[in-house]
Amino acid sequence: MWISQHDIPNCNYRNKRGLPKGSTLKNNGSCPVTISNILRNSFGIDEMSPRFVAKIAFNTGSISQSGTDVKKTLNALKKISGTFQYRIVTDFNAAKMALLNGDLVMASSHPDGDFNLFGDRNIYITLIDYIEQNSSVLIHDPNYNKNKPVKNKARKFNVFETDCIGIFEVRESAISRVCDKYYIFTSIPMLSDVAPQYNIGAKYTVSKRVRIRKRPNMNSEFVKTTLGCNKTAVPGTEIYCLDVRNDHKGNIFIHAESGWILAYDSDSKIIYVE
């Protein structure tokens, strides 16, 4: 479930000195709301609600007049959950590769003059997927509401509605123009030098967020599908094994009811399904 800031009308988001004055999650909480959305949707950590993340930001002194100290907040949350890790990059192509690998990315966005995609000030958004055939990015805007301006030239040309509230498809060139920092979230992987054994007809559990793929191609590699609103398997998802295949690199794929899932990556030794 993707939560908007406007779903949380009465929650102060200020430091111990009461600053920024009048700040709430509704009008100034894109950072904790976005962090919460990622931790809940990508890692299944339901207790990481926007209010809880805001409380941790307050307790760690992460809130200031200029915004949220993201690293301080995330490091505190890592100590609490212990199930995720993150890294920061400034290159959109690195964020793009993370999306193609099935990871979620938090991006710091800003208006560029009159090139105003997400608001008239800096906010945080979630990058959900890279859509290769359209050279676009599927994003969640936590500051979305029905009255948000959508008619400025930049938004009219670059932002496209989807069937999911608050989720939009945005041209790659526009994202790279207004976003200058990307926080790539990954789960702490299970590693093994020995490839696990999977059996048709057995049930397994996804241990790390992974993309759902559509079909193998002619050289036995697997083609990734376009992500809609939830075309990923998140940690804790139970799957029923319909078929098992290996490619020439030693990667193992399981065919579940929703599609093909990478169960074991032979290069990184990561176990995605256990």
Side-chain angles (χ1 to χ4, degrees), residues 215-223:
R215 61 185 183 279
N217 65 15
M218 294 303 291
N219 65 0
S220 81
E221 293 289 354
F222 282 66
V223 179

Side-chain angles (χ1 to χ4, degrees), residues 223-237:
V223 179
K224 297 175 181 178
T225 65
T226 297
L227 178 64
C229 288
N230 54 9
K231 293 288 186 179
T232 56
V234 299
T237 301

Side-chain angles (χ1 to χ4, degrees), residues 47 63 68 79 83 88 130 144 170 203 233 252 272-274:
E47 63 269 25
I63 308 170
T68 303
K79 291 180 181 179
T83 59
I88 304 171
Y130 182 76
Y144 169 81
V170 185
K203 285 187 177 180
I252 304 175
Y272 289 87
V273 176
E274 57 177 313

Side-chain angles (χ1 to χ4, degrees), residues 1 8 28 39 70 100 102 105 125 130 141 147 191 218 249:
M1 178 181 176
I8 316 164
N28 205 36
L39 295 183
V70 182
L100 290 172
V105 178
I125 61 173
Y130 182 76
D141 178 1
N147 298 317
L191 305 177
M218 294 303 291
K249 294 181 179 178

Side-chain angles (χ1 to χ4, degrees), residues 5 37 66 86 90 103 118 121 123 135 141 160 162 187 190 214 220 224-225 227 241-242 246 263:
Q5 291 170 243
N37 277 327
S66 59
Y86 75 95
T90 56
D103 298 319
F118 306 116
R121 55 198 169 99
I123 72 162
S135 297
D141 178 1
F160 308 94
T162 71
S187 55
M190 296 179 59
K214 190 174 181 181
S220 81
K224 297 175 181 178
T225 65
L227 178 64
C241 179
L242 301 175
N246 294 57

Side-chain angles (χ1 to χ4, degrees), residues 115-139:
F115 197 85
N116 185 343
L117 289 182
F118 306 116
D120 57 4
R121 55 198 169 99
N122 295 355
I123 72 162
Y124 291 90
I125 61 173
T126 303
L127 309 187
I128 302 174
D129 186 33
Y130 182 76
I131 303 173
E132 295 175 274
Q133 62 265 42
N134 297 341
S135 297
S136 63
V137 182
L138 196 70
I139 70 103

Side-chain angles (χ1 to χ4, degrees), residues 90-107:
T90 56
D91 179 16
F92 172 77
N93 287 322
K96 172 179 167 180
M97 289 306 300
L99 295 173
L100 290 172
N101 287 333
D103 298 319
L104 291 186
V105 178
M106 180 169 75

